Amino acid sequence: MSEDFEDMGPIDYLVIEFPGNRMTGEGFPLLLDLVDRGIVRILDLLFVRKDADGSVVALELRDLDADGDVDLSVFEGSSSGLLGQDDLDEAGMALEPGNSAGILIYENLWAAPLARALRRGGAQLVAGGRIPVQALLASLEAAEAAEGGRSAA
């Protein structure tokens, strides 16, 4: 096992859909702040578009800023080579036709010391996941409704 791997934190990915290919750029300064503070390290950032016929095409960062409102030049070269055509196709399956998406692969630098300590002790991550905010809210609303139903009885 390489020493570089031993020092890494957990790696996550996100696929963020932009309906109607409308990207405001509002989140990019926040992403840069996470990088600047050493919380995450961007391994890959790629954008795709799903056309009306269902085909998925990769977009160049410079093509995303046609009106000059979103400066993405700081993200140029954010590519580790982890993303392949199969990843683009899979991301495209989650998109509605006419929309675009950003695919972000990042290392959780904040968790690297914990991961190193666990690996030294022989532990390994065997499962992981993410709970979508919508699922969490639905669960909380259901619990609240159930609690309200019990107190009314």
Side-chain angles (χ1 to χ4, degrees), residues 46 48 50 54-58 83-95 103:
L46 183 68
V48 296
K50 186 171 187 175
S55 61
V56 178
V57 296
L83 290 172
Q85 185 60 47
D86 55 333
D87 299 307
L88 303 182
D89 294 339
E90 189 172 333
M93 289 190 301
L95 298 178
I103 304 169

Side-chain angles (χ1 to χ4, degrees), residues 18-152:
F18 299 99
N21 295 314
R22 236 187 92 235
M23 185 183 318
T24 66
E26 191 173 337
F28 293 118
L30 298 170
L31 179 59
L32 282 176
D33 181 57
L34 292 172
V35 171
D36 290 343
R37 292 190 292 146
I39 295 171
V40 300
R41 177 172 58 131
I42 297 173
L43 300 175
D44 280 289
L45 178 61
L46 183 68
F47 292 88
V48 296
R49 180 184 67 234
K50 186 171 187 175
D51 292 331
D53 65 2
S55 61
V56 178
V57 296
L59 301 172
E60 295 292 327
L61 288 180
R62 64 183 164 272
D63 296 337
L64 298 173
D65 189 25
D67 58 9
D69 289 341
V70 182
D71 181 13
L72 299 175
S73 60
V74 70
F75 296 108
E76 284 284 344
S78 294
S79 176
S80 67
L82 289 172
L83 290 172
Q85 185 60 47
D86 55 333
D87 299 307
L88 303 182
D89 294 339
E90 189 172 333
M93 289 190 301
L95 298 178
E96 292 294 322
N99 293 346
S100 59
I103 304 169
L104 175 66
I105 298 179
Y106 60 97
E107 176 186 2
N108 291 284
L109 294 174
W110 63 269
L114 173 62
R116 276 193 301 273
L118 292 171
R119 286 183 197 114
R120 279 194 306 270
Q124 62 181 342
L125 180 64
V126 294
R130 188 165 308 272
I131 300 171
V133 172
Q134 299 87 339
L136 176 63
L137 292 175
S139 180
L140 291 173
E141 287 175 5
E144 190 176 286
E147 185 65 31
R150 280 185 267 190
S151 59

